Amino acid sequence: MSGKVSTGMESEVEFAALRSLTDFMLESARFQLPNFKDPERWMNRVNNNLLYYQSNYFILAILVFIIVGFLHPIQLLYGTLAISITFGLFVYITNHQNSTVKFKRDHPLVSVCIVIFAGYFIVLLLDSVAVFFFGIAFPVLLIFIHASMRLRNIKNKVANKMEIIGLKRTPMGLFLDALGQEQVSFM
């Protein structure tokens, strides 16, 4: 499962290898609560595990989202629709502010009806939006718990060193860089 994608930069992005279930969760996996008194070391463990197990985490998130979709298909669909419509309206309104103000001034009754309908729609779909967010938030929580508790092994440390020095770029590495998460070495 190692493929390359060109980003237009000097180095290509490589998808990280899918780690075995034994390494990810079973026999060879070692877990320990992080030292909550040393948040820097804890975040370093999380970042390094996010980099090393990123393909496993991606599959875990997709599987949990699918399970939530099977358990609550209509609510998930409505929640996805509500979030998409809200996002689309936000983008439209922020990009066309002058026309929105003019529309509200020229058509006050229609504007009030739209606000009332949108409010009703949001209240009606609140349950569905909660299911959608659960489908997103629960996998993130599982990933964070695993990344916090999974102790690193030698292969993990070597793979992370290659990411840190730039020999290998992965989607998670780019994501963590975009979030401003420095990858610090605590071998």
Side-chain angles (χ1 to χ4, degrees):
M1 183 163 188
S2 182
K4 292 186 178 186
V5 176
S6 179
T7 61
M9 294 185 262
E10 60 274 348
S11 64
E12 292 181 338
V13 176
E14 286 185 44
F15 292 103
L18 185 63
R19 308 301 173 188
S20 71
L21 194 57
T22 302
D23 181 27
F24 185 60
M25 296 188 80
L26 301 177
E27 294 93 32
S28 72
R30 297 175 313 143
F31 294 92
Q32 179 182 354
L33 282 175
N35 182 0
F36 298 111
K37 294 179 182 177
D38 190 356
E40 187 176 330
R41 218 169 154 79
W42 177 21
M43 286 303 110
N44 181 57
R45 181 193 289 185
V46 170
N47 285 345
N48 285 313
N49 282 331
L50 287 174
L51 287 169
Y52 188 69
Y53 295 111
Q54 62 188 284
S55 296
N56 297 68
Y57 291 147
F58 180 72
I59 289 172
L60 175 68
I62 296 295
L63 287 174
V64 170
F65 194 76
I66 288 170
I67 290 169
V68 170
F70 278 133
L71 294 175
H72 305 284
I74 301 301
Q75 288 95 345
L76 187 63
L77 179 67
Y78 285 163
T80 304
L81 257 168
I83 297 299
S84 300
I85 289 170
T86 304
F87 181 72
L89 284 173
F90 173 77
V91 169
Y92 178 78
I93 290 170
T94 57
N95 289 334
H96 299 90
Q97 211 168 19
N98 293 337
S99 61
T100 306
V101 172
K102 185 178 182 315
F103 180 83
K104 285 192 317 187
R105 187 180 59 238
D106 294 344
H107 308 288
L109 184 60
V110 174
S111 298
V112 169
C113 289
I114 289 172
V115 169
I116 290 171
F117 176 73
Y120 176 74
F121 182 70
I122 289 172
V123 169
L124 183 67
L125 294 178
L126 204 53
D127 193 34
S128 300
V129 170
V131 170
F132 174 78
F133 281 131
F134 180 75
I136 299 295
F138 189 61
V140 170
L141 177 66
L142 289 177
I143 290 167
F144 182 73
I145 289 171
H146 183 275
S148 292
M149 296 182 67
R150 177 67 169 89
L151 295 175
R152 296 168 55 207
N153 57 26
I154 296 298
K155 288 195 295 188
N156 184 321
K157 292 177 183 181
V158 170
N160 288 331
K161 290 298 170 203
M162 291 176 61
E163 178 84 27
I164 289 170
I165 63 174
L167 293 177
K168 184 170 120 178
R169 300 300 298 159
T170 62
M172 183 64 76
L174 295 174
F175 180 70
L176 291 174
D177 285 345
L179 291 176
Q181 294 297 310
E182 287 181 17
Q183 290 136 14
V184 185
S185 173
F186 281 115
M187 282 265 209

